């Protein structure tokens, strides 16, 4: 019943920026404890990138910490991930996820997942 659809990925140069969008349907994003972004690169395990809570608290981990910002637009029922100063190692499929509770950066806390959007960073 809940559907998350990511968009905004593509080919970007190293040092550039990108904005990813996660559109939610079936339930409002404010009903979830956390909305988050994870990523999985071609030679990496899936890792946590960023999350935002119902009260707009944010949490960042991993190599993109300091180079990523998560935001939400409740009116549009959409969550965003802005990344900048991109590096080739940021190349990955980026997934949006929704959680009803648990540890914020643990993928096991997330019940709903999008299909992912590919970000490729060229050197």
């Amino acid at each position: 019943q809940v559907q998350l659809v990511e968009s905004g990925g593509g080919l970007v140069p190293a040092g550039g920026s990108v904005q990813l969008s996660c559109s939610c349907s079936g339930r409002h994003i404010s009903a979830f404890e956390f909305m988050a972004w994870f990523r999985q690169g071609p030679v990496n395990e899936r890792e946590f990138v960023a999350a935002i809570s119902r009260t707009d608290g944010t949490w960042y981990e991993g190599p993109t910490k300091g180079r990523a910002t998560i935001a939400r637009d409740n009116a549009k029922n959409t969550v965003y991930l802005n990344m900048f100063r991109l590096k080739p190692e940021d190349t990955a499929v980026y997934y949006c996820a929704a959680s009803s509770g648990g540890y914020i950066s643990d993928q096991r806390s997330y019940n709903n997942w999008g299909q992912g959007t590919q970000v490729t960073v060229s050197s």
Side-chain angles (χ1 to χ4, degrees):
Q1 296 182 24
V2 176
Q3 186 175 15
L4 304 175
V5 180
E6 303 96 333
S7 61
L11 179 64
V12 294
S17 61
V18 68
Q19 182 181 67
L20 308 182
S21 299
C22 173
S23 178
C24 180
S25 61
R27 192 176 182 188
H28 197 270
I29 55 175
S30 64
F32 294 102
E33 191 68 30
F34 312 120
M35 297 294 297
W37 290 91
F38 292 78
R39 72 180 187 180
Q40 186 167 13
V43 295
N44 300 325
E45 296 181 355
R46 185 159 59 185
E47 64 180 357
F48 175 86
V49 177
I52 187 166
S53 72
R54 285 183 293 172
T55 56
D56 287 338
T58 58
W59 186 261
Y60 303 91
E61 290 182 4
T64 53
K65 185 176 182 179
R67 298 188 292 112
T69 300
I70 189 169
R72 69 196 303 155
D73 188 332
N74 286 338
K76 296 180 179 179
N77 207 21
T78 300
V79 179
Y80 304 95
L81 180 69
N82 292 284
M83 296 187 289
F84 49 95
R85 290 187 280 110
L86 287 164
K87 303 175 181 180
E89 50 263 44
D90 294 321
T91 295
V93 178
Y94 285 75
Y95 297 93
C96 180
S99 174
S100 297
Y103 189 60
I104 193 167
S105 63
D106 188 344
Q107 61 183 298
R108 295 173 297 178
S109 300
Y110 291 81
N111 306 111
N112 301 103
W113 294 81
Q115 83 290 347
T117 184
Q118 175 73 44
V119 175
T120 302
V121 183
S122 60
S123 61

Short mmCIF file of all heavy atoms in Angstrom, two decimals, residues 39-89:
data_model
loop_
_atom_site.label_atom_id
_atom_site.label_comp_id
_atom_site.label_asym_id
_atom_site.label_seq_id
_atom_site.Cartn_x
_atom_site.Cartn_y
_atom_site.Cartn_z
N ARG A 39 22.38 3.66 0.20
CA ARG A 39 22.97 3.48 -1.12
C ARG A 39 23.73 2.17 -1.18
O ARG A 39 24.17 1.64 -0.15
CB ARG A 39 23.90 4.64 -1.48
CG ARG A 39 25.22 4.67 -0.70
CD ARG A 39 26.06 5.85 -1.11
NE ARG A 39 27.39 5.81 -0.50
CZ ARG A 39 28.32 6.73 -0.70
NH1 ARG A 39 28.08 7.78 -1.48
NH2 ARG A 39 29.51 6.61 -0.10
N GLN A 40 23.88 1.66 -2.39
CA GLN A 40 24.68 0.46 -2.61
C GLN A 40 25.48 0.63 -3.89
O GLN A 40 24.91 0.75 -4.98
CB GLN A 40 23.80 -0.79 -2.71
CG GLN A 40 24.62 -2.07 -2.80
CD GLN A 40 23.78 -3.31 -2.57
OE1 GLN A 40 22.56 -3.26 -2.57
NE2 GLN A 40 24.44 -4.43 -2.36
N GLY A 41 26.79 0.68 -3.75
CA GLY A 41 27.68 0.80 -4.88
C GLY A 41 27.98 -0.55 -5.49
O GLY A 41 27.63 -1.59 -4.94
N PRO A 42 28.65 -0.55 -6.64
CA PRO A 42 28.92 -1.81 -7.35
C PRO A 42 29.81 -2.77 -6.57
O PRO A 42 29.74 -3.98 -6.80
CB PRO A 42 29.60 -1.34 -8.64
CG PRO A 42 30.13 0.02 -8.33
CD PRO A 42 29.16 0.62 -7.37
N VAL A 43 30.64 -2.26 -5.67
CA VAL A 43 31.52 -3.12 -4.87
C VAL A 43 31.30 -2.91 -3.38
O VAL A 43 32.15 -3.28 -2.57
CB VAL A 43 33.01 -2.89 -5.24
CG1 VAL A 43 33.27 -3.32 -6.67
CG2 VAL A 43 33.40 -1.44 -5.02
N ASN A 44 30.18 -2.33 -3.01
CA ASN A 44 29.90 -2.01 -1.62
C ASN A 44 28.62 -2.68 -1.14
O ASN A 44 27.72 -2.97 -1.93
CB ASN A 44 29.77 -0.51 -1.42
CG ASN A 44 31.01 0.26 -1.79
OD1 ASN A 44 32.12 -0.22 -1.58
ND2 ASN A 44 30.84 1.45 -2.32
N GLU A 45 28.55 -2.90 0.16
CA GLU A 45 27.31 -3.31 0.79
C GLU A 45 26.40 -2.09 0.92
O GLU A 45 26.85 -0.95 0.88
CB GLU A 45 27.57 -3.93 2.16
CG GLU A 45 28.38 -5.20 2.12
CD GLU A 45 28.59 -5.79 3.50
OE1 GLU A 45 28.19 -5.17 4.49
OE2 GLU A 45 29.16 -6.90 3.58
N ARG A 46 25.13 -2.34 1.08
CA ARG A 46 24.21 -1.24 1.28
C ARG A 46 24.54 -0.49 2.57
O ARG A 46 24.75 -1.12 3.62
CB ARG A 46 22.76 -1.74 1.30
CG ARG A 46 21.73 -0.61 1.39
CD ARG A 46 20.37 -1.05 0.92
NE ARG A 46 19.85 -2.17 1.69
CZ ARG A 46 18.72 -2.80 1.41
NH1 ARG A 46 18.00 -2.44 0.36
NH2 ARG A 46 18.32 -3.81 2.16
N GLU A 47 24.60 0.82 2.48
CA GLU A 47 24.98 1.61 3.63
C GLU A 47 24.03 2.79 3.81
O GLU A 47 23.44 3.29 2.86
CB GLU A 47 26.42 2.12 3.50
CG GLU A 47 26.65 3.07 2.34
CD GLU A 47 28.09 3.55 2.25
OE1 GLU A 47 28.90 3.19 3.12
OE2 GLU A 47 28.41 4.29 1.29
N PHE A 48 23.93 3.22 5.05
CA PHE A 48 23.08 4.34 5.41
C PHE A 48 23.73 5.64 4.98
O PHE A 48 24.93 5.82 5.12
CB PHE A 48 22.87 4.33 6.92
CG PHE A 48 22.10 5.50 7.46
CD1 PHE A 48 20.71 5.48 7.50
CD2 PHE A 48 22.76 6.62 7.94
CE1 PHE A 48 19.99 6.55 8.01
CE2 PHE A 48 22.06 7.70 8.45
CZ PHE A 48 20.67 7.66 8.48
N VAL A 49 22.93 6.55 4.47
CA VAL A 49 23.40 7.87 4.05
C VAL A 49 22.85 8.96 4.95
O VAL A 49 23.60 9.74 5.53
CB VAL A 49 23.03 8.17 2.59
CG1 VAL A 49 23.48 9.58 2.20
CG2 VAL A 49 23.68 7.14 1.66
N ALA A 50 21.52 9.03 5.07
CA ALA A 50 20.90 10.12 5.81
C ALA A 50 19.48 9.75 6.18
O ALA A 50 18.85 8.92 5.53
CB ALA A 50 20.90 11.41 4.97
N ALA A 51 18.97 10.38 7.23
CA ALA A 51 17.58 10.18 7.64
C ALA A 51 17.02 11.47 8.22
O ALA A 51 17.77 12.31 8.73
CB ALA A 51 17.45 9.06 8.67
N ILE A 52 15.71 11.59 8.15
CA ILE A 52 15.02 12.73 8.74
C ILE A 52 13.81 12.20 9.50
O ILE A 52 13.10 11.31 9.04
CB ILE A 52 14.62 13.76 7.66
CG1 ILE A 52 14.04 15.02 8.31
CG2 ILE A 52 13.66 13.17 6.64
CD1 ILE A 52 13.94 16.20 7.34
N SER A 53 13.59 12.73 10.70
CA SER A 53 12.51 12.27 11.56
C SER A 53 11.23 13.04 11.30
O SER A 53 11.21 14.02 10.55
CB SER A 53 12.92 12.40 13.03
OG SER A 53 12.93 13.76 13.42
N ARG A 54 10.17 12.61 11.97
CA ARG A 54 8.89 13.30 11.85
C ARG A 54 8.97 14.75 12.30
O ARG A 54 8.22 15.59 11.82
CB ARG A 54 7.82 12.58 12.66
CG ARG A 54 7.30 11.30 12.03
CD ARG A 54 6.20 10.71 12.88
NE ARG A 54 6.71 10.25 14.17
CZ ARG A 54 5.94 9.84 15.17
NH1 ARG A 54 4.63 9.84 15.05
NH2 ARG A 54 6.50 9.43 16.30
N THR A 55 9.87 15.02 13.24
CA THR A 55 10.05 16.37 13.76
C THR A 55 11.20 17.11 13.09
O THR A 55 11.66 18.13 13.59
CB THR A 55 10.26 16.33 15.27
OG1 THR A 55 11.36 15.48 15.58
CG2 THR A 55 9.01 15.81 15.97
N ASP A 56 11.69 16.56 11.98
CA ASP A 56 12.70 17.19 11.13
C ASP A 56 14.11 17.14 11.71
O ASP A 56 14.99 17.88 11.26
CB ASP A 56 12.34 18.62 10.78
CG ASP A 56 11.20 18.72 9.78
OD1 ASP A 56 10.97 17.74 9.04
OD2 ASP A 56 10.53 19.76 9.75
N GLY A 57 14.33 16.27 12.70
CA GLY A 57 15.70 16.02 13.09
C GLY A 57 16.40 15.21 12.01
O GLY A 57 15.78 14.41 11.32
N THR A 58 17.69 15.44 11.84
CA THR A 58 18.43 14.76 10.78
C THR A 58 19.62 14.00 11.34
O THR A 58 20.15 14.33 12.40
CB THR A 58 18.91 15.74 9.70
OG1 THR A 58 19.72 16.76 10.32
CG2 THR A 58 17.72 16.40 9.02
N TRP A 59 20.05 12.98 10.58
CA TRP A 59 21.17 12.15 10.98
C TRP A 59 21.92 11.71 9.74
O TRP A 59 21.31 11.30 8.76
CB TRP A 59 20.67 10.93 11.76
CG TRP A 59 21.75 10.08 12.32
CD1 TRP A 59 22.27 8.92 11.80
CD2 TRP A 59 22.47 10.32 13.52
NE1 TRP A 59 23.25 8.43 12.60
CE2 TRP A 59 23.40 9.26 13.68
CE3 TRP A 59 22.41 11.32 14.50
CZ2 TRP A 59 24.27 9.19 14.76
CZ3 TRP A 59 23.28 11.25 15.57
CH2 TRP A 59 24.19 10.19 15.70
N TYR A 60 23.23 11.81 9.79
CA TYR A 60 24.08 11.46 8.66
C TYR A 60 25.19 10.52 9.10
O TYR A 60 25.73 10.66 10.21
CB TYR A 60 24.70 12.70 8.03
CG TYR A 60 23.70 13.72 7.58
CD1 TYR A 60 23.28 14.75 8.43
CD2 TYR A 60 23.16 13.66 6.30
CE1 TYR A 60 22.36 15.68 8.02
CE2 TYR A 60 22.23 14.60 5.87
CZ TYR A 60 21.84 15.60 6.74
OH TYR A 60 20.91 16.54 6.32
N GLU A 61 25.55 9.59 8.23
CA GLU A 61 26.67 8.69 8.48
C GLU A 61 27.39 8.41 7.17
O GLU A 61 26.84 8.57 6.09
CB GLU A 61 26.20 7.36 9.09
CG GLU A 61 25.70 7.46 10.52
CD GLU A 61 25.30 6.11 11.09
OE1 GLU A 61 25.47 5.09 10.40
OE2 GLU A 61 24.80 6.08 12.24
N GLY A 62 28.62 7.94 7.30
CA GLY A 62 29.37 7.45 6.15
C GLY A 62 30.12 8.53 5.40
O GLY A 62 30.20 9.69 5.82
N PRO A 63 30.68 8.14 4.25
CA PRO A 63 31.54 9.06 3.48
C PRO A 63 30.85 10.32 2.99
O PRO A 63 31.53 11.32 2.73
CB PRO A 63 31.98 8.19 2.30
CG PRO A 63 31.86 6.79 2.77
CD PRO A 63 30.67 6.79 3.68
N THR A 64 29.54 10.30 2.86
CA THR A 64 28.83 11.49 2.39
C THR A 64 28.47 12.46 3.50
O THR A 64 27.93 13.53 3.21
CB THR A 64 27.55 11.10 1.63
OG1 THR A 64 26.76 10.23 2.44
CG2 THR A 64 27.90 10.41 0.31
N LYS A 65 28.75 12.11 4.74
CA LYS A 65 28.47 13.03 5.83
C LYS A 65 29.26 14.32 5.61
O LYS A 65 30.46 14.29 5.40
CB LYS A 65 28.85 12.40 7.17
CG LYS A 65 28.48 13.26 8.37
CD LYS A 65 28.79 12.54 9.68
CE LYS A 65 28.39 13.38 10.88
NZ LYS A 65 28.68 12.68 12.16
N GLY A 66 28.57 15.45 5.66
CA GLY A 66 29.18 16.73 5.34
C GLY A 66 29.04 17.12 3.90
O GLY A 66 29.30 18.27 3.54
N ARG A 67 28.65 16.18 3.04
CA ARG A 67 28.44 16.45 1.62
C ARG A 67 27.02 16.12 1.20
O ARG A 67 26.75 16.03 0.00
CB ARG A 67 29.44 15.66 0.78
CG ARG A 67 30.89 16.03 1.04
CD ARG A 67 31.82 15.36 0.03
NE ARG A 67 31.86 13.91 0.20
CZ ARG A 67 31.36 13.03 -0.66
NH1 ARG A 67 30.79 13.46 -1.78
NH2 ARG A 67 31.44 11.74 -0.42
N ALA A 68 26.14 15.92 2.15
CA ALA A 68 24.77 15.55 1.85
C ALA A 68 23.82 16.26 2.80
O ALA A 68 24.15 16.50 3.97
CB ALA A 68 24.57 14.04 1.95
N THR A 69 22.65 16.58 2.30
CA THR A 69 21.60 17.19 3.11
C THR A 69 20.27 16.53 2.78
O THR A 69 19.91 16.42 1.61
CB THR A 69 21.50 18.70 2.84
OG1 THR A 69 22.74 19.34 3.15
CG2 THR A 69 20.41 19.32 3.71
N ILE A 70 19.56 16.09 3.81
CA ILE A 70 18.25 15.51 3.62
C ILE A 70 17.20 16.55 4.03
O ILE A 70 17.39 17.30 4.98
CB ILE A 70 18.08 14.20 4.42
CG1 ILE A 70 16.77 13.50 4.03
CG2 ILE A 70 18.17 14.43 5.92
CD1 ILE A 70 16.66 12.08 4.58
N ALA A 71 16.11 16.59 3.29
CA ALA A 71 15.04 17.53 3.57
C ALA A 71 13.71 16.89 3.18
O ALA A 71 13.67 15.88 2.48
CB ALA A 71 15.25 18.84 2.81
N ARG A 72 12.63 17.49 3.65
CA ARG A 72 11.30 16.99 3.32
C ARG A 72 10.38 18.14 2.97
O ARG A 72 10.56 19.28 3.43
CB ARG A 72 10.72 16.18 4.48
CG ARG A 72 10.37 17.02 5.71
CD ARG A 72 10.19 16.16 6.95
NE ARG A 72 9.17 15.14 6.76
CZ ARG A 72 9.12 14.00 7.44
NH1 ARG A 72 10.05 13.72 8.34
NH2 ARG A 72 8.15 13.13 7.20
N ASP A 73 9.41 17.86 2.15
CA ASP A 73 8.35 18.79 1.82
C ASP A 73 7.04 18.06 2.09
O ASP A 73 6.59 17.25 1.28
CB ASP A 73 8.43 19.26 0.37
CG ASP A 73 7.46 20.37 0.05
OD1 ASP A 73 6.40 20.46 0.69
OD2 ASP A 73 7.76 21.18 -0.85
N ASN A 74 6.45 18.32 3.24
CA ASN A 74 5.24 17.60 3.63
C ASN A 74 4.07 17.86 2.68
O ASN A 74 3.25 16.98 2.45
CB ASN A 74 4.85 17.97 5.06
CG ASN A 74 5.75 17.34 6.09
OD1 ASN A 74 6.42 16.34 5.84
ND2 ASN A 74 5.79 17.93 7.28
N ALA A 75 4.01 19.07 2.15
CA ALA A 75 2.92 19.39 1.23
C ALA A 75 2.99 18.55 -0.04
O ALA A 75 1.97 18.21 -0.63
CB ALA A 75 2.95 20.88 0.89
N LYS A 76 4.21 18.22 -0.46
CA LYS A 76 4.42 17.41 -1.66
C LYS A 76 4.59 15.93 -1.33
O LYS A 76 4.72 15.12 -2.25
CB LYS A 76 5.63 17.91 -2.43
CG LYS A 76 5.49 19.31 -2.98
CD LYS A 76 6.74 19.73 -3.74
CE LYS A 76 6.58 21.13 -4.30
NZ LYS A 76 7.80 21.56 -5.03
N ASN A 77 4.60 15.60 -0.03
CA ASN A 77 4.81 14.22 0.40
C ASN A 77 6.08 13.64 -0.22
O ASN A 77 6.10 12.51 -0.71
CB ASN A 77 3.60 13.35 0.06
CG ASN A 77 3.44 12.17 1.01
OD1 ASN A 77 3.96 12.18 2.13
ND2 ASN A 77 2.73 11.14 0.57
N THR A 78 7.13 14.43 -0.17
CA THR A 78 8.37 14.11 -0.84
C THR A 78 9.57 14.36 0.07
O THR A 78 9.59 15.34 0.81
CB THR A 78 8.53 14.93 -2.13
OG1 THR A 78 7.43 14.63 -3.01
CG2 THR A 78 9.82 14.61 -2.85
N VAL A 79 10.55 13.48 -0.01
CA VAL A 79 11.81 13.61 0.70
C VAL A 79 12.92 13.79 -0.32
O VAL A 79 12.90 13.15 -1.38
CB VAL A 79 12.08 12.38 1.59
CG1 VAL A 79 13.42 12.52 2.31
CG2 VAL A 79 10.96 12.21 2.61
N TYR A 80 13.88 14.63 0.00
CA TYR A 80 14.96 14.94 -0.92
C TYR A 80 16.31 14.58 -0.30
O TYR A 80 16.50 14.62 0.91
CB TYR A 80 14.97 16.43 -1.26
CG TYR A 80 13.67 16.92 -1.84
CD1 TYR A 80 12.71 17.50 -1.03
CD2 TYR A 80 13.41 16.81 -3.21
CE1 TYR A 80 11.51 17.96 -1.55
CE2 TYR A 80 12.22 17.25 -3.74
CZ TYR A 80 11.27 17.83 -2.91
OH TYR A 80 10.09 18.27 -3.45
N LEU A 81 17.25 14.26 -1.16
CA LEU A 81 18.64 14.12 -0.77
C LEU A 81 19.47 14.98 -1.72
O LEU A 81 19.49 14.72 -2.92
CB LEU A 81 19.11 12.67 -0.83
CG LEU A 81 20.58 12.45 -0.44
CD1 LEU A 81 20.78 12.70 1.05
CD2 LEU A 81 21.03 11.04 -0.81
N ASN A 82 20.11 15.98 -1.18
CA ASN A 82 21.02 16.81 -1.94
C ASN A 82 22.45 16.40 -1.61
O ASN A 82 22.83 16.32 -0.44
CB ASN A 82 20.83 18.28 -1.60
CG ASN A 82 19.50 18.82 -2.07
OD1 ASN A 82 19.32 19.08 -3.26
ND2 ASN A 82 18.56 18.99 -1.15
N MET A 83 23.23 16.13 -2.64
CA MET A 83 24.63 15.79 -2.47
C MET A 83 25.47 16.72 -3.32
O MET A 83 25.07 17.10 -4.42
CB MET A 83 24.90 14.33 -2.85
CG MET A 83 24.20 13.32 -1.94
SD MET A 83 24.70 11.62 -2.30
CE MET A 83 23.88 11.39 -3.88
N PHE A 84 26.63 17.06 -2.81
CA PHE A 84 27.51 17.97 -3.50
C PHE A 84 28.96 17.54 -3.31
O PHE A 84 29.25 16.68 -2.49
CB PHE A 84 27.28 19.41 -3.02
CG PHE A 84 27.27 19.56 -1.52
CD1 PHE A 84 28.42 19.92 -0.84
CD2 PHE A 84 26.12 19.34 -0.79
CE1 PHE A 84 28.42 20.06 0.54
CE2 PHE A 84 26.10 19.47 0.59
CZ PHE A 84 27.26 19.84 1.26
N ARG A 85 29.84 18.18 -4.07
CA ARG A 85 31.25 17.76 -4.11
C ARG A 85 31.34 16.25 -4.29
O ARG A 85 32.05 15.55 -3.57
CB ARG A 85 31.99 18.23 -2.85
CG ARG A 85 32.18 19.74 -2.80
CD ARG A 85 33.07 20.17 -1.64
NE ARG A 85 32.34 20.23 -0.38
CZ ARG A 85 32.50 19.39 0.63
NH1 ARG A 85 33.39 18.41 0.55
NH2 ARG A 85 31.79 19.54 1.73
N LEU A 86 30.61 15.79 -5.28
CA LEU A 86 30.52 14.36 -5.52
C LEU A 86 31.86 13.77 -5.95
O LEU A 86 32.66 14.41 -6.62
CB LEU A 86 29.47 14.07 -6.58
CG LEU A 86 28.02 14.25 -6.10
CD1 LEU A 86 27.08 14.32 -7.29
CD2 LEU A 86 27.62 13.11 -5.17
N LYS A 87 32.06 12.51 -5.57
CA LYS A 87 33.26 11.77 -5.89
C LYS A 87 32.89 10.51 -6.66
O LYS A 87 31.77 10.02 -6.52
CB LYS A 87 34.00 11.38 -4.60
CG LYS A 87 34.36 12.56 -3.72
CD LYS A 87 34.98 12.08 -2.41
CE LYS A 87 35.32 13.25 -1.51
NZ LYS A 87 35.93 12.78 -0.23
N PRO A 88 33.81 9.97 -7.44
CA PRO A 88 33.49 8.73 -8.16
C PRO A 88 33.01 7.61 -7.24
O PRO A 88 32.16 6.81 -7.64
CB PRO A 88 34.82 8.37 -8.83
CG PRO A 88 35.47 9.69 -9.06
CD PRO A 88 35.12 10.52 -7.85
N GLU A 89 33.52 7.55 -6.03
CA GLU A 89 33.11 6.52 -5.09
C GLU A 89 31.69 6.72 -4.56
O GLU A 89 31.17 5.85 -3.85
CB GLU A 89 34.09 6.39 -3.92
CG GLU A 89 34.42 7.71 -3.25
CD GLU A 89 35.72 8.32 -3.76
OE1 GLU A 89 35.93 8.33 -4.99
OE2 GLU A 89 36.52 8.79 -2.93
#
